[in-house]
Amino acid sequence: MNQTERHMKLLATILSTIFHPLLMPTYGIAIALYTSYMRVFGDRLLGIIVIGVLLTTCILPSLGIFILYKTGHISDFRLHNRTERTVPYIINFVCYIACYLYLYRFGIPNWILSFIAGAIVSLIISLFINRYWKISAHMVAAGAMIVLVFLMSIYRLMLTPYIFPLQITIILLAGLIGSSRILLNRHTIGQVGAGFALGAMCCGFLFFLFI
C-alpha cells in the first residue's frame, strides 16, 4: 500500500468514525432544532434536548456494545460481523424508544419525532436484513439525514439562510461516507445503495405519516 492509499484509508476511517450511525441521530436533531423556528426556545433548552439525544442514542448504546465486547459476546466493537449485530441492534432499538419518549415529553413537534421514528423502523428492518445480508448502517443514517434536510426545506421548516448550504453539504457528506465504506472494504456498492434507500424511505414515510 503506497502513501496515497494509506492517507485515503485514514481519511475514510475518520469520516466513518465522525459520521458513525450512533452519532447521526444527534446531528439530525441538532439540525432540526437549530436551523428551524425551534431556535426561538433558546440555546440552553435546545442544548439540553440535544444532550439527551446524544445520551440515549449514542452513549448508552455504545456502553452496551462495549460491555458485550468485553464479555466476549461480540468479537469486534465496530460490528463488522453481521451475525453479531442482533443483540447490539436490540440495544439500539430500546435506546431509540427511550429517545423518542424523551423528545415526546419535551413536546417536540411531530415532524422532528418522525426522524427518530424513522430511525426506529429502519433499525427493525436492518435487524432482519442483517440475518441474511450485510446492509450499510452508515448509509441508512445518511439517507435519513438527506431526506430530513430536503423535507425541511420543501415544507419551509428550515430557516432560509441554512437551506442551500445544508443541502449541498449533506449530499457531499453522503457521497463521502458511502465511498469511505467501500474504500475500507466494509461494504459493497449494493450494500451502500440499499442502506441509503432504506434510510431515505423510512424517514420520508414516517415524516409524511407524522406531519
Side-chain angles (χ1 to χ4, degrees):
M1 184 185 299
N2 60 41
Q3 189 172 7
T4 300
E5 290 176 333
R6 285 197 297 270
H7 288 163
M8 288 181 66
K9 284 187 176 293
L10 175 61
L11 178 59
T13 301
I14 292 171
L15 283 170
S16 293
T17 303
I18 293 174
F19 297 102
H20 192 278
L22 292 180
L23 287 169
M24 295 295 261
T26 303
Y27 298 153
I29 294 299
I31 288 172
L33 294 176
Y34 285 100
T35 68
S36 70
Y37 62 85
M38 294 294 291
R39 288 196 64 173
V40 300
F41 292 102
D43 291 341
R44 182 176 179 276
L45 178 59
L46 299 187
I48 292 172
I49 295 172
V50 171
I51 289 172
V53 173
L54 179 65
L55 176 66
T56 52
T57 63
C58 180
I59 296 176
L60 289 179
S62 296
L63 180 60
I65 294 170
F66 180 74
I67 292 172
L68 290 174
Y69 176 69
K70 283 297 184 180
T71 55
H73 288 85
I74 58 175
S75 59
D76 185 358
F77 184 70
R78 290 171 291 184
L79 305 177
H80 291 152
N81 187 343
R82 66 174 178 84
T83 61
E84 297 179 346
R85 291 184 170 190
T86 301
V87 176
Y89 271 45
I90 292 172
I91 292 172
N92 286 354
F93 173 76
V94 173
C95 291
Y96 276 45
I97 292 292
C99 177
Y100 182 91
L101 295 175
Y102 169 78
L103 293 174
Y104 180 81
R105 290 291 298 273
F106 259 102
I108 297 299
N110 285 343
W111 64 270
I112 298 180
L113 290 176
S114 71
F115 178 66
I116 298 298
I120 293 171
V121 172
S122 64
L123 193 62
I124 295 171
I125 296 174
S126 295
L127 175 62
F128 284 100
I129 291 175
N130 270 293
R131 295 175 67 88
Y132 309 99
W133 191 60
K134 188 179 179 183
I135 193 169
S136 174
H138 279 78
M139 292 310 294
V140 171
M145 288 284 286
I146 282 189
V147 169
L148 174 69
V149 168
F150 275 84
L151 287 178
M152 284 180 67
S153 306
I154 292 169
Y155 281 82
R156 298 182 180 180
L157 297 167
M158 184 177 290
L159 301 176
T160 304
Y162 297 103
I163 294 176
F164 184 70
L166 268 177
Q167 288 178 341
I168 296 299
T169 300
I170 197 66
I171 289 173
L172 290 175
L173 281 176
L176 288 172
I177 294 168
S179 299
S180 296
R181 303 310 292 165
I182 295 170
L183 180 63
L184 293 170
N185 295 318
R186 303 304 184 205
H187 294 286
T188 64
I189 294 177
Q191 292 164 350
V192 165
F196 180 87
L198 176 61
M201 287 189 295
C202 288
C203 185
F205 176 75
L206 269 296
F207 182 92
F208 290 119
L209 188 65
F210 279 51
I211 196 73

